Amino acid sequence: MTGSGKNVAGYLARHAEPDNRPFHAGSLEGIERAVVIPALAEFDSLFDTLASLALNPSEDLSRTLVICVVNNRRREVCDPADYRNNQATLALLSALIRGEDVRSAADPTADLRLIRESGLRLACVDASSEGCELPDKDAGVGLARKIGMDKALRLFGPDGWAKLVCCLDADTKVAADYLPQVTRGFARANRPAAAAVAYAHERPADPEFAAAILNYEIYLRYYVCGLQYAGSPYAFHSIGSAMAVTAGAYASVRGINRLEAAEDFYFLNKLAKVGPVARIDTTRVYPAARVSARVPFGTGRRMIRSLAGDHDGSRLYHPRIFLILAQWLAAVAGDPDRSGSLICAEAAGIHQTLSDFLSARAFPDTWEKIRRNSRNVAFLNRQFHAWFDGFLTLKLIHWLNDHAFPPVAMEEGLRDLFEAMGVTPPAPLRFGRTVSGDKGWAMLQMLRRLAP
């Protein structure tokens, strides 16, 4: 057994979720990749998403298993409407898996016929029915993803360490070339451990909803653009519906965590330490822009705040923060033979608040440990970025935000960051407190190109 195969076997033996929930599927022969979709009360969205997958090439569909994890808490604490919705979803999925000619009141024929006739290979995990529910402590999208991804690894077996597990959400449609392009994204010379797939929120017809999602997506892409400018290896989007990973890399980081939110951020942060996280910009996924209060932050919560008139969420990190981050990363890379104290002194020259942050985290001692345990400069840089990871980068950004550079209006942040990057915007940056309308969407299109 190869080392990667042992990783998978060891993970399944010690860290995977128990494989004790009902699993419905047809033939499991010849599966080369899996797509895992958590679903909680998603009857009205899931089958549209499956229909978009069904438009992918037949040769890719024949080698792909789509695993839907229909989940909820115990009935005593679950919304009764959510439970009924899940049971209807399970019934329809089971009928599709059996190949029955089904009808749905929500969608009379079109999507279901496409799913059934396309060759899309479906499976579902019942984490909804009595005795199968998610435990109260960990119930949420993180655990639902983990159940489905662990199931995929079991189906692949230890020898399937190079096979792919793709993550979607039930309200996220995909392009008709999603499966082949994601596969090609992993066939690169640098052998990525994981990938962030390009995404674009759908533009709602309602102007208020459209403005809310526009401002949110600009915020997300501005942050990644800032990390790109700074030269951070963590300059990629962490979006649960736009991730993919090899089975071996998944096992090597002990899988995805069970968090109710931000499971995607922490998961990709771990993966970036074991191998490159590729950015696949040759295809796209299309998350829905909708209001949701299920998780404490994210798209749905941001939409709620914006629609309630809270425009603080439309402000951006001060662009000076990313300039300081760029100087800090360059200082570390510039002369790795220096002591931690000398690097801290240089950090004070960049900005005292940066030096305070590093001192609070005992950077000089940490740096000396990294130096002692590094056999060459390349390994030292890798160990440094394992310590100063995406999470600590975010902590530094928050520290600078709280102690030196408060948030700025969207117009100011975009203008100054674009100037630093040498980028010319598509139109003069003149908005109010938020961005809206066709000019705002033209700005977003540019950001989608800069930070897919």
Side-chain angles (χ1 to χ4, degrees), residues 362-382:
F363 172 75
D365 293 340
T366 299
W367 179 253
E368 295 309 321
K369 290 177 184 176
I370 292 173
R371 288 179 72 195
R372 285 196 301 271
N373 294 315
S374 298
R375 56 186 177 270
N376 53 45
V377 172
F379 191 77
L380 182 146
N381 286 332
R382 180 177 170 184

Side-chain angles (χ1 to χ4, degrees), residues 273-305:
K273 300 177 187 182
V274 301
V277 174
R279 298 206 317 192
I280 298 175
D281 58 6
T282 53
T283 190
R284 269 185 181 170
V285 299
Y286 300 95
R290 65 180 187 178
V291 173
S292 173
R294 287 180 185 167
V295 295
F297 47 86
T299 307
R301 284 285 183 178
R302 189 100 174 185
M303 292 284 285
I304 290 173
R305 289 173 56 192

Side-chain angles (χ1 to χ4, degrees), residues 221-222 224-226 228-229 411-429 442-451:
R221 294 186 189 276
Y222 172 86
V224 172
C225 279
Q228 287 177 185
Y229 169 79
E411 176 181 336
E412 179 182 346
L414 289 167
R415 182 192 65 230
D416 291 353
L417 184 60
F418 285 163
E419 182 178 340
M421 296 173 67
V423 171
T424 302
L429 296 175
M443 173 66 62
L444 178 56
Q445 290 301 329
M446 188 188 77
L447 285 167
R448 285 172 174 173
R449 292 190 294 272
L450 290 172

Side-chain angles (χ1 to χ4, degrees), residues 42 229 410:
E42 296 284 8
Y229 169 79
M410 194 165 277

Side-chain angles (χ1 to χ4, degrees), residues 313-381:
S314 300
R315 296 174 70 81
L316 301 175
Y317 292 117
H318 198 295
R320 180 75 187 279
I321 290 173
F322 297 108
L323 273 64
I324 290 172
L325 177 61
Q327 291 175 283
W328 158 240
L329 295 178
V332 173
D335 185 2
D337 287 333
R338 288 170 302 162
S339 69
S341 297
L342 285 175
I343 296 177
C344 254
E346 186 168 345
I350 296 170
H351 200 278
Q352 184 59 46
T353 308
L354 169 63
S355 180
D356 294 343
F357 176 85
L358 297 172
S359 297
R361 282 152 184 81
F363 172 75
D365 293 340
T366 299
W367 179 253
E368 295 309 321
K369 290 177 184 176
I370 292 173
R371 288 179 72 195
R372 285 196 301 271
N373 294 315
S374 298
R375 56 186 177 270
N376 53 45
V377 172
F379 191 77
L380 182 146
N381 286 332

Side-chain angles (χ1 to χ4, degrees), residues 138-448:
D138 296 319
V141 67
L143 178 54
R145 286 197 207 283
K146 190 173 191 302
I147 290 169
M149 297 174 85
D150 290 355
K151 186 67 181 180
L153 260 66
R154 286 192 172 91
L155 297 176
F156 295 160
D159 292 336
W161 56 269
K163 295 183 178 182
L164 300 183
V165 184
C166 306
C167 293
L168 276 183
D169 283 343
D171 64 349
T172 301
K173 298 176 185 177
V174 303
D177 60 355
Y178 168 78
L179 292 174
Q181 291 298 337
V182 169
T183 301
R184 290 189 189 108
F186 280 85
R188 299 180 179 180
N190 64 349
R191 299 177 64 87
V197 182
Y199 73 97
H201 286 97
E202 296 178 321
R203 183 175 181 175
D206 182 281
E208 289 189 25
F209 274 76
I213 198 61
L214 171 63
N215 282 265
Y216 177 57
E217 193 175 320
I218 287 176
Y219 165 83
L220 293 177
R221 294 186 189 276
Y222 172 86
Y223 180 75
V224 172
C225 279
L227 294 185
Q228 287 177 185
Y229 169 79
S232 169
Y234 296 91
F236 47 76
H237 294 282
S238 301
I239 296 177
S241 57
M243 305 186 300
V245 62
T246 66
Y250 178 86
S252 71
V253 299
R254 298 187 179 181
I256 197 166
N257 59 50
R258 300 175 176 85
L259 292 176
E260 186 179 357
E263 83 293 343
D264 40 17
F265 175 83
Y266 291 108
F267 182 51
L268 287 173
N269 188 52
K270 290 191 298 181
L271 286 164
K273 300 177 187 182
V274 301
V277 174
R279 298 206 317 192
I280 298 175
D281 58 6
T282 53
T283 190
R284 269 185 181 170
V285 299
Y286 300 95
R290 65 180 187 178
V291 173
S292 173
R294 287 180 185 167
V295 295
F297 47 86
T299 307
R301 284 285 183 178
R302 189 100 174 185
M303 292 284 285
I304 290 173
R305 289 173 56 192
S306 181
L307 292 170
D310 177 3
H311 297 305
D312 283 346
S314 300
R315 296 174 70 81
L316 301 175
Y317 292 117
H318 198 295
R320 180 75 187 279
I321 290 173
F322 297 108
L323 273 64
I324 290 172
L325 177 61
Q327 291 175 283
W328 158 240
L329 295 178
V332 173
D335 185 2
D337 287 333
R338 288 170 302 162
S339 69
S341 297
L342 285 175
I343 296 177
C344 254
E346 186 168 345
I350 296 170
H351 200 278
Q352 184 59 46
T353 308
L354 169 63
S355 180
D356 294 343
F357 176 85
L358 297 172
S359 297
R361 282 152 184 81
F363 172 75
D365 293 340
T366 299
W367 179 253
E368 295 309 321
K369 290 177 184 176
I370 292 173
R371 288 179 72 195
R372 285 196 301 271
N373 294 315
S374 298
R375 56 186 177 270
N376 53 45
V377 172
F379 191 77
L380 182 146
N381 286 332
R382 180 177 170 184
Q383 291 300 104
F384 166 72
H385 284 293
W387 175 74
F388 193 74
D389 61 4
F391 182 55
L392 196 55
T393 298
L394 181 60
K395 277 186 165 295
L396 171 60
I397 289 170
H398 284 174
W399 179 275
L400 292 168
N401 178 84
D402 294 341
H403 293 88
F405 300 102
V408 296
M410 194 165 277
E411 176 181 336
E412 179 182 346
L414 289 167
R415 182 192 65 230
D416 291 353
L417 184 60
F418 285 163
E419 182 178 340
M421 296 173 67
V423 171
T424 302
L429 296 175
R430 298 191 185 115
F431 348 108
R433 293 182 354 188
T434 62
V435 185
S436 61
D438 290 340
K439 289 184 178 179
W441 284 91
M443 173 66 62
L444 178 56
Q445 290 301 329
M446 188 188 77
L447 285 167
R448 285 172 174 173

Side-chain angles (χ1 to χ4, degrees), residues 1 3-13 153-154 156-162 247-249 251-252:
M1 185 184 295
S4 295
K6 290 178 181 177
N7 286 345
V8 172
Y11 170 79
L12 291 173
L153 260 66
R154 286 192 172 91
F156 295 160
D159 292 336
W161 56 269
S252 71

